[in-house]
Structure formats: structure tokens, C-alpha cells
Amino acid sequence: LIEGANATMLDLDFGTYPYVTSSNPSIGSVCTGLGVPPKVIGNVTGIVNAYCTRVGEGPFPTELHDDINLKLRQIGGEFGTTTGRPRRCGWIDIPQLKYAAVINGFTNINLTKLDVLTGFDEVKIGSKYIHLGQELKSGPASSRTYSDTTIEYEVLPGWKEELKSLTDGVVEYSDHGRLYISDRAHIVFDFHQTIDAWNEKQLADKKLGTTNKGIGPSYSSKSMRNGLRIGDLRDMKYFEQRLRNLVKQLQTAYPGLEIDVDKELEYYNNVRGELISMTTDTITFVNDAIKEGKNVLIEGANA
């Protein structure tokens, strides 16, 4: 497995020159950098974000300059890994993706960070480059041409909830036993995400580059034994009691943290039926499958 550093559009020869890196992150460097003959290259997977980002200067046809840019950056954790610099964010760029596919000969695409787009009223897809009234069929060789290029968009309705997006996509997950949630799974609340962002901001120039998904603060609640599990939704009186205790403790630790407990309770009252229908004792579920001789694929989060 050979991984290319950076991205195709930063390639010294095929990228947005001169705003590129000093090497070739495209497929050709597999041969020139490792001495691997082209004929032994099998599958070529293109890793593609569901939206575009860029650090530093350079052309960016789909770049956003509004609150959506800020929201993408915060939810997606779009900050430079080494420098911590905020990344510029924009909608996905299909002409650029097609260009990268031609250069690299992708045999498949791995679309990532689609979940970041959850909650937007609409999602735009940059579909065409237009320069001087004509559609460009490839990525411009000149950065000046890039800067004078406009882009046409296709606009799609957004989705508010991940589970709803599954059913809208005709994926039946609950009635046919295709998706289960462990009754021991801890709930990541919106206020956990807020705390995640606060903690990162306090680190200033020593930022860790958190995703702002609230996972760390949720684990803190878990280790402090005041977190809430999915299984707690079976008894809403108990759920409410634990939620109010958790909020009280967090607001003591984080003065100024605003949490609308009634709104949280209303939300979980509305979704609890659907969640409970998918909730199971996964310890028994997985071990029973193993005893029956079934193959079980277990994926680790992160690396």
C-alpha cells in the first residue's frame, strides 16, 4: 500500500502552479520515487473529501467566504496539522476531481467527511468551469486563468439527520436488522462539541487539531461516571435526572456554558423510539455470531 503525500492539485507538474509543493504527490511518483514499474500498479484509490479545502495561497474556484466556510472549518476540524493554520473551505469541485482522476487513473474513490455536511439547508456541487463564456474541459495550466474562472453549481437539498439521510437514500436500517447501536454507547451531546471547541481555543498556538466532534469531552464525562448511555433512553425519567446532573456539573466547570436542557430532552424524546428499536446488547450479539461460525469484521476507529 503506497500513500501519496499532499494532493494532486499541489503536484509540481499538474497542480495549481506556482501554488504547489516541490514534489509530485500524483501517481507518477510511485515509479520515480520508489522505483516501482508502472505495470505492477494495481488499484488506485482517490481519497476525496465531500468538500474542498486549501491551506495558504492559490486558486480556489469553489471557496466560500461566509458562515458556511466557518462552519465547515469548525465541524470538519480544518486546521493545518503542523501549523494549526485555518484551512480555506469550499464546496466540492467536480472538474478538479475529474482532472485528478485522469492524472492518476483512479480505479475507485473513497469519499470522506460526508457527515460534516449534515445540518446544512442545501449542499452545492461545483459542476463546471466557465472561462470567457466557454466551459473548460480540464484544469487550467495558468493560475491567472484559474483566477478568471467562474464555476456553475448544482444545488441539492441538505439533510438534517444522519439516520434520515439513510432512509431518504432508500437504505432500510432498522426494520431489517441492518444497523445496531450498543446499549453501552455513550451519547455525544451538542454541548460536548461546544466544550471541545472551547478547550482547543484555550490552547492558542499549541492547538492539538481536534475535530470538534465532542468525542474527548464525551469520554471525560464517561470517565467521570456522569455520562449518559444510549440504553438510558429506555427510562426517560432516569435519563432526565442524569442529564440535568451532567449539565449542572459542566456549567460549574465551564462558567458561561449555555445549555437548553428542555430542548435536549425534547429532541431525545422525539428520537428515542427510533434509537431504541436499533439498540441491543452488542456483547451477546457479536459473541453469538462468532459461536455460530459467522465472519465478523471489526473496524478500529482512527489509527
Side-chain angles (χ1 to χ4, degrees), residues 69-79 86-89:
N69 167 54
L70 300 177
K71 188 174 180 179
L72 285 172
R73 182 184 298 154
Q74 180 181 7
I75 299 174
E78 299 298 347
F79 298 89
R87 295 188 180 115
R88 299 155 62 192
C89 298

Side-chain angles (χ1 to χ4, degrees), residues 40-294:
V40 304
I41 297 175
N43 293 325
V44 181
T45 300
I47 309 298
V48 182
N49 279 358
Y51 55 94
C52 286
T53 65
R54 182 166 197 145
V55 174
E57 300 299 319
F60 192 164
T62 62
E63 183 175 11
L64 293 162
H65 300 279
D66 54 14
D67 291 342
I68 296 178
N69 167 54
L70 300 177
K71 188 174 180 179
L72 285 172
R73 182 184 298 154
Q74 180 181 7
I75 299 174
E78 299 298 347
F79 298 89
T81 304
T82 303
T83 64
R85 285 189 299 171
R87 295 188 180 115
R88 299 155 62 192
C89 298
W91 299 116
I92 192 169
D93 186 328
I94 297 301
Q96 201 172 84
L97 176 54
K98 288 181 176 179
Y99 175 74
V102 169
I103 295 295
N104 295 284
F106 295 151
T107 55
N108 53 79
I109 286 177
N110 182 355
L111 185 65
T112 68
K113 292 200 168 184
L114 189 61
D115 60 313
V116 173
L117 298 178
T118 299
F120 287 92
D121 293 329
E122 62 182 25
V123 174
K124 293 186 178 181
I125 298 175
S127 58
K128 293 181 181 179
Y129 282 170
I130 305 296
H131 183 256
L132 301 179
Q134 300 293 319
E135 181 182 355
L136 297 178
K137 298 299 184 181
S138 183
S142 167
S143 60
R144 178 58 183 271
T145 304
Y146 247 124
S147 63
D148 292 336
T149 295
T150 58
I151 193 158
E152 289 187 1
Y153 290 96
E154 292 184 21
V155 182
L156 303 176
W159 55 91
K160 294 298 183 181
E161 302 293 341
E162 293 180 47
L163 293 178
K164 184 176 183 301
S165 72
L166 288 177
T167 53
D168 290 347
V170 202
V171 176
E172 296 294 339
Y173 54 85
S174 56
D175 294 339
H176 304 290
R178 296 186 62 188
L179 178 63
Y180 295 97
I181 304 173
S182 171
D183 52 5
R184 292 172 174 80
H186 277 255
I187 298 174
V188 181
F189 291 93
D190 289 344
F191 51 77
H192 282 134
Q193 297 183 33
T194 301
I195 292 171
D196 205 355
W198 280 15
N199 289 341
E200 185 77 352
K201 187 177 181 180
Q202 293 301 314
L203 294 174
D205 59 346
K206 294 184 175 60
K207 289 180 179 178
L208 299 175
T210 177
T211 61
N212 289 329
K213 295 285 185 151
I215 298 171
S218 176
Y219 265 82
S220 294
S221 295
K222 175 182 177 180
S223 63
M224 292 294 290
R225 298 180 292 282
N226 58 14
L228 281 83
R229 292 174 165 185
I230 286 291
D232 295 335
L233 285 168
R234 293 191 174 109
D235 183 340
M236 282 306 293
K237 185 176 181 181
Y238 176 73
F239 183 89
E240 178 178 353
Q241 177 186 343
R242 288 191 58 80
L243 177 60
R244 291 191 182 279
N245 287 338
L246 172 60
V247 168
K248 183 178 179 180
Q249 292 175 35
L250 289 177
Q251 288 181 324
T252 300
Y254 294 90
L257 177 63
E258 296 183 1
I259 302 174
D260 189 335
V261 179
D262 292 332
K263 185 177 180 180
E264 293 283 356
L265 289 170
E266 180 183 5
Y267 171 79
Y268 282 99
N269 263 309
N270 289 335
V271 301
R272 67 183 294 266
E274 190 170 16
L275 290 174
I276 289 173
S277 71
M278 293 179 285
T279 300
T280 191
D281 173 7
T282 50
I283 294 176
T284 301
F285 179 79
V286 173
N287 279 282
D288 283 350
I290 294 171
K291 290 175 182 177
E292 293 170 9
K294 295 180 179 178

